[in-house]
Amino acid sequence: MKIPVTFTLNGTEAAAFTDPGQNLLDLLRRNLGDLTPKFGCGQGTCGTCTVLIDGEPHLSCLILAEAAQGREIETTAGLANGPDLHPLQTAFMEGFAAQCGYCTPGMLMVAKALLDRNPSPTRDEVIEAISGNLCRCTGYEPIVEAILTAARAPRHATGRTA
Amino acid sequence: MTLHSGRGFACINYPIGMNLGGDPSQALVHSTPDGKFKVALSAIDLGQGMKSVTRQIAAEALGVPIEDVYVDTADSDTGPHDMGSFASRGTHRMGNAVIRAAAEARAQMLEAAAEELEVNASDLVTDGRGNIHVRGAPSRTITVEETAQAAQFRQGRTLAGRGIFLVPMSDVDPETGEMTPVSCFAHAALIVDLIVDDETGEVEVTHINSAYEVGRALNPKLVEQQLIGGAWMGVSHALYETTEPYYPDRSHGPEDFNHYLQPGPGDAVPHHISILERPAPDAPYGGKGPGEMCANPVIPAVANAVYNAVGVRCDNLPITPEKVLRGIRANGGVRPPVQR
Amino acid sequence: MPVEFRKDLFADERDDNLAEIGKPHIRQDILGHVTGRSPYYDDHLFDGLLHLRCVRAPYHHARVRSVDASAAERVPGVVRIIRPSDVPQNLNTLLALLNFGRDDEPLLTPEKTGYRGEPILAVVATSEAAARDAVAQVKVDWEELPHVLDVEEALKPGAPIVNTTYPNNTFDYHDRYDHQKLRFGDTEAAFAQADHIVEGEYQMSPIEQAPIETCGAIASPETNDRFVCYTSTQALFFSVAVSAKQTALPSSRLHFIGGTVGGGFGGKVDSHHEPLAILGAMLTGHPVKYQWDRAEEMQVGAPRSGERWRIKDGVMRDGRIIAREFTGFFDAGAYTRLTSYGVQKCTGHLPGPYTIPNVASNTYCVYTNRTPSTAMRGFGITGVDFSIECQMDRVAEAVGMDPIELRILNAYRDGDMKAHRRTAKNCALIESCQVVAQKSGWALSPDAMAQSSRVGGGAGWRAEIPETVIDHAGQIGERRRNWIDTEPFAGATQRDRIAAGTANEHPATGNAPQRDDMVIEAERLGFKVSDGPPAGAPSYGTRATAPTPPAAPSFTPPQTPTPPVGAPVPYPNAGPSLPPAARGAPAASPPVSAAPPTPPSPTTPSPQPAPTVSTTPPSAPAGSQDQAPRAPRRPGVSRFISGPRGRR
């Protein structure tokens, strides 16, 4: 039995029919074609599936799709402003803060949530914010640096998308 | 409860490429009608930067700017055979294949330009900015773009190249183990500073100083990425990781990241890296692959530092707090050998 | 913190005037990473995608008496059960591609499982949840069998047979031995001479590659009667070959797409997902995804093998290590995969980056009832390097020497002979040690700081292959019939000797470019070239018809250096000093089968020197071990990069 779900995805109205028990990650990827949140564990321990729900980071692999009803969902697909990169994206790019890139969308989501509520975080606050996101490649330091760099960038700063 | 500091050293070399050879890599390079170059590979980018480093190698070998080169990988319909991304073979094998393919494409390009300029191809050089001109006479010049158009539409020439790099397979002698493993080795030496808590047995690495010899840092930032990430993995391997905490008993094998422990961002260790470059004669621009050897010296350096701190030899990985405490107890207390 | 580049070191070997190489260019793929658009294998959408999950053995070692999948088939959403009998070529071994080893591992196991988690059946369903339900509904009548989990227990007579293809629980090396040997010099004699014997035992447990992206593949019928497979593999054509073999499809009907992977670290070479996913697509006519969840990735996915090492060193009181013996065990788990090769890779690495005149090792690829192991970052090397470097500190303590100075004293140098009978070159261990000591405030003696990889090597005994003692103990099956110990020479009833200087010289560098215009100009490769482009170099626009030897070498070999103050003390001969013997004839022929390695005949034409810059002296005949010790080889452009096809 399919259950209708409507919500806002990256600022746009979205609707889908979900199967009972389907999680939000699967709904976003398979039903809505937003491939930016990733599957890493299905256990809520790696953070690659992180999306923002009403501005707060959540693990979409553990959220029932139905729970998205009426909420504002943000994913990495909505980070850039048209052709202009978000300062976080520019900072990750120029700071070599990604290697395989698989943890990057989740990292960007928690970083965005942090900077939206705390525009000038300390290093410890950045570390705390990303502590639920695993990275196997970088050793974390470049990611922390990139987030601090983005925090220092002027708010209107943009980067190229190509 | 006392914190004991310790310092440990280790050094290693690492073989670059698949052992015994027999692992070919191929590349195809071709120009678009307006002088941009595509590199078709089947190499895999796991995050180590295969697409990026082969792009730089192709641009260098072709003599064109990097913005005019794009690497496409991996599609078995369009990419030629490559053995794969493992054994630190990618930069070495794939890089050499790309150089050869780019050399052939470059030769065609210089021939085409020579015909347009009515000179000998051997008189031409590229400026790396998209121009081809007579050596010593920069005004006798043509752009790569014009050359490609002339070649394609007037001369009937392809600007394309193929390359394969293969270290022929050798075998292993049954009696002596004689073999030809690889042709070059990377090196590393590393010093770990750490603190051991003699009440909990926990080990905290506080500082890493390293020297890595990589032949040539083809892209210094990619090398840095590998070394920082690899050293982090080395600390993780030394202190935390195991799929069988009671090896050889299989009990309590972790099935999630709550039980498979790794250091987090709050555990990041300041790591002062020095890079040495002794180019290997048969490596692309002398570059060896840093991707695997970066973790190896960390692990014994940590073990040696723990011994230096509290006098416990941890010969069994991972070095868990339980093992440290058992060692201290067996020794009748903390017995550091020499303070450094 | 910024990385320091020690450009001053080896500056005379490098030309750093390159255009794009050495620049910190932004990664080509990073824009995709930061926008979330990089296409990993699972980032492809299919209508009607089916999901595959496996039924797995819950015991370490068990026999399948019967399987009843009838309840599973009735679970809503189940489309197809895949059985072992559905797999056209069920048995495989990864290295069949290289003709190394026998096919020993089924894709789906019909009768006897060797590890907990081994797949015996696959279920394909319309959702992952349905597939999980169905897997839980499969009823298997298991007969649990005795198991063995310790590598040394597995070698003993009467141990349960883990892998029926290798009934001695060891990989068969060369159809002769149950281990891979390394023999160089005479360790037993050297131990008798040593001032100290230092021994250690080291153990590394298995660890997970743990990439953030788990292993997986999606296969789908494509147009034109082919199957497309999106995969996380680290080796595209490797996976094509395995899949073609196991599905009995010609590779022309397979279209593999990958190249963007969320971390591999060696765990994505086993090519297990692609054949199953393709089989699912073949049998259902629909796209099928086979993805490991994290629990599978951790406990079913192949880890780095556990390794156990014993090292015995003979050390002089001044710190020179004159003999080193290894006994090593790689825990392959239930199937071979890559461990057989890892043992040989490891053997070629011993005794570490040190010039030790007598080396011996026995290294075993052992089968146990655990998850098969595979490659992981540092494959074949990480475990033994951990052991060696802990051992070196033990040696330093035994002789009362600074640990770094001990490394420098024993470090290998250009021109030194290595235990696998190849000459060291391009060494940089000493400099790496010096740099890190200096920057950390670890004081070294002026003598240690004055050492160089380019000086003091390749002279006297250091360059020579010594007379070597060999044994024939540990033949296949011997150990299981009547236990013999595992260390080198244990159980050997006789010793034979291979003459000094015996080696099969084999070029270590790559094939020459097959066409002249695949040759890059030597001066553009970033090496310091002594006299600029030499006469006779191929010029573009002309095709060199035959490689022209240079009129005179453009490189003058340095004189054999006299060991400077502080250079390693020459090692005294352990036994009767044999002149470098004529190569080929062993002192005594071994009693069993093949002769020792025979050198190439003297009539083999030597390779034509390349017309481009070569900084090696004009080729001596292959096998010139009996000439004067070679000077340290200077770096330069290998003719195999820059030369036309050489004749051999």
Side-chain angles (χ1 to χ4, degrees), chain C residues 10 85 105 171 173 178 181 224 261 319 324 363 376 396-397 426 518 571 609:
Chain C
F10 306 113
S85 52
E105 184 172 3
F171 183 80
Y173 280 100
D178 68 357
K181 294 179 191 286
N224 56 41
V261 176
R324 173 167 278 177
T363 311
M376 181 175 175
E397 191 175 51
N426 192 243
M518 289 176 182
Y571 163 68

Side-chain angles (χ1 to χ4, degrees), chain B residues 25-44:
Chain B
S25 283
Q26 292 189 40
L28 297 173
V29 171
H30 73 267
S31 165
T32 64
D34 62 342
K36 314 299 181 203
F37 285 88
K38 301 294 170 67
V39 182
L41 307 175
S42 295
I44 308 291

Side-chain angles (χ1 to χ4, degrees), chain A residues 17-145:
Chain A
F17 285 94
T18 173
D19 295 306
Q22 186 181 16
N23 62 45
L24 179 59
L25 176 68
D26 200 57
L27 188 87
L28 289 170
R29 288 176 61 84
R30 298 278 153 216
N31 296 63
L32 290 165
D34 182 343
L35 297 170
T36 58
K38 310 290 182 195
F39 171 84
C41 68
Q43 301 160 330
T45 56
C46 74
T48 54
C49 67
T50 304
V51 300
L52 302 185
I53 303 182
D54 296 338
E56 291 293 317
H58 286 274
L59 301 170
S60 61
C61 75
L62 296 183
I63 307 266
L64 285 177
E66 300 162 55
Q69 177 62 41
R71 310 292 213 112
E72 283 193 24
I73 313 256
E74 292 169 86
T75 68
T76 302
L79 250 192
N81 182 15
D84 299 327
L85 293 179
H86 189 281
L88 279 168
Q89 293 173 304
T90 306
F92 270 61
M93 188 167 71
E94 294 175 354
F96 285 80
Q99 292 184 35
C100 83
Y102 204 73
C103 75
T104 307
M107 290 286 183
L108 288 170
M109 288 290 96
V110 295
K112 176 181 191 288
L114 171 71
L115 295 186
D116 284 351
R117 78 166 179 277
N118 178 358
S120 299
T122 63
R123 171 173 282 266
D124 279 351
E125 285 167 331
V126 172
I127 286 171
E128 170 120 18
I130 68 170
S131 288
N133 292 66
L134 297 185
C135 175
R136 193 59 168 154
C137 300
T138 65
Y140 296 104
E141 206 40 47
I143 295 173
V144 172
E145 284 298 323

Side-chain angles (χ1 to χ4, degrees), chain B residues 88-126:
Chain B
S88 295
R89 66 179 296 280
T91 296
H92 190 267
R93 310 294 203 246
M94 208 66 247
N96 280 332
V98 168
I99 288 177
R100 291 174 179 193
E104 187 174 26
R106 176 184 167 87
Q108 316 298 321
M109 182 175 74
L110 293 182
E111 288 286 345
E115 190 173 314
E116 295 302 299
L117 293 175
E118 296 176 332
V119 297
N120 285 325
S122 55
D123 295 331
L124 292 176
V125 294
T126 47

